[in-house]
């Protein structure tokens, strides 16, 4: 993709530029280039079945979370016939869904941001997740699954309240993810400065993109 070429040429320096212009990331290598320290964690693998004439056809659904514990988090879901394939696909899907997570303070603005900036809610299916800012040292007060998600996002202290059918782990994680993803959606007074948009990277580097480009084809290893 054009974005991939600009990243490869080193013309786009950070992921924040991509977010600023709301560019769609379609290649997971872009995320790998910007966030080399991403850690992935398989949240759940569940078998799902489809009834066919010959009986059931079982496939495996994998939920994977990726994060750098520093304000970037992604969640991916993938279904496949084999567990390994599902996990691999889910990791790629999670990398493509990486979103920035805004962090803030509970009281005084001393040190680095450690909790969520405001109260946040997210919903998926019947599960509603509410994140409430907490003072330093409170830790992450949450169930096992969302706790991992919050740690990967780089949040140190937060209170949580959730309701609904939380046994559905997929929806529980998705609700937590959507709550965190909404953190930049709320405009607090310190973000009131007007953002001056320049040209989008595609416009700015038109001459680079106009050149004929031959993608490198990976040669299969000779045995």
């Amino acid at each position: 993709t054009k974005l991939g070429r600009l990243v490869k040429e080193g013309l786009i320096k950070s992921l924040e530029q991509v977010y600023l212009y709301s560019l769609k990331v379609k290649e997971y290598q872009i995320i790998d280039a910007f966030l080399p320290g991403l850690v992935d964690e398989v949240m759940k693998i569940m078998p799902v079945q489809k009834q066919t004439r010959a009986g059931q056809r079982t496939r495996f659904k994998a939920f994977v979370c990726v994060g750098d514990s520093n304000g970037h988090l992604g969640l991916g879901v993938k279904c496949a016939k084999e567990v390994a394939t599902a996990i691999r696909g889910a990791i790629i899907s999670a990398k493509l869904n990486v979103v920035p997570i805004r962090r803030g303070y509970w009281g005084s603005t001393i040190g680095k941001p450690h909790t969520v900036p405001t109260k946040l809610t997210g919903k998926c299916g019947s599960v509603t997740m509410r994140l409430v800012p907490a003072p330093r040292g409170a830790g992450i007060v949450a169930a096992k699954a969302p706790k991992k998600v919050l740690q990967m996002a780089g949040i140190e202290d937060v209170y949580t309240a959730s309701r609904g059918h939380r046994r559905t782990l997929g929806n529980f994680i998705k609700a937590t993810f959507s709550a965190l993803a909404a953190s930049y959606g709320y405009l607090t007074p310190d973000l009131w400065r007007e953002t001056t948009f320049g040209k989008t990277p595609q416009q700015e580097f038109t001459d680079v993109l106009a050149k004929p480009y031959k993608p490198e084809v990976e040669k299969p290893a000779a045995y």
Side-chain angles (χ1 to χ4, degrees):
T1 55
K2 288 180 180 175
L3 180 60
R5 280 167 62 188
L6 292 176
V7 172
K8 199 173 177 186
E9 299 282 340
L11 297 171
I12 294 181
K13 298 285 186 293
S14 72
L15 201 54
E16 275 53 50
Q17 274 175 289
V18 177
Y19 292 139
L20 182 64
Y21 295 103
S22 304
L23 304 175
K24 182 88 175 121
V25 178
K26 292 186 177 177
E27 294 167 323
Y28 70 92
Q29 289 89 343
I30 295 173
I31 302 293
D32 286 342
F34 286 136
L35 304 172
L38 268 189
V39 179
D40 51 64
E41 170 121 16
V42 180
M43 289 293 171
K44 186 175 189 184
I45 294 169
M46 55 188 277
V48 287
Q49 291 182 326
K50 177 185 174 184
Q51 189 71 34
T52 58
R53 277 185 306 183
Q56 294 97 351
R57 193 191 71 193
T58 307
R59 288 160 81 197
F60 295 98
K61 190 176 183 181
F63 293 90
V64 170
C65 221
V66 299
D68 63 350
S69 303
N70 193 16
H72 294 101
L73 181 72
L75 179 67
V77 184
K78 179 76 178 148
C79 205
K81 285 180 189 171
E82 291 174 15
V83 177
T85 323
I87 292 174
R88 211 173 308 128
I91 289 173
I92 290 172
S93 158
K95 282 179 181 173
L96 295 182
N97 288 330
V98 166
V99 294
I101 307 295
R102 183 165 176 225
R103 290 163 297 168
Y105 298 95
W106 173 78
S108 57
T109 54
I110 301 170
K112 290 191 174 171
H114 60 101
T115 181
V116 285
T118 55
K119 290 177 186 171
L120 301 166
T121 50
K123 191 168 189 299
C124 181
S126 73
V127 183
T128 309
M129 187 72 176
R130 184 165 187 248
L131 307 177
V132 181
R136 266 187 209 282
I140 298 172
V141 185
K144 246 184 191 172
K147 191 170 187 173
K148 280 183 190 168
V149 178
L150 291 158
Q151 278 169 340
M152 284 186 153
I155 285 170
E156 291 160 30
D157 311 285
V158 68
Y159 294 133
T160 63
S162 54
R163 56 165 305 167
H165 197 286
R166 284 155 292 191
R167 243 183 68 179
T168 318
L169 200 94
N171 285 357
F172 200 10
I173 296 169
K174 279 183 185 172
T176 311
F177 180 68
S178 73
L180 284 169
S183 59
Y184 266 113
Y186 187 71
L187 199 63
T188 49
D190 51 345
L191 295 178
W192 281 354
R193 292 194 306 279
E194 203 164 306
T195 317
T196 47
F197 287 107
K199 287 181 176 175
T200 63
Q202 278 103 326
Q203 274 181 312
E204 201 178 328
F205 306 114
T206 328
D207 45 348
V208 179
L209 295 171
K211 288 176 190 169
Y213 174 71
K214 261 190 158 181
E216 294 169 16
V217 180
E218 286 182 18
K219 291 174 185 171
Y223 290 111

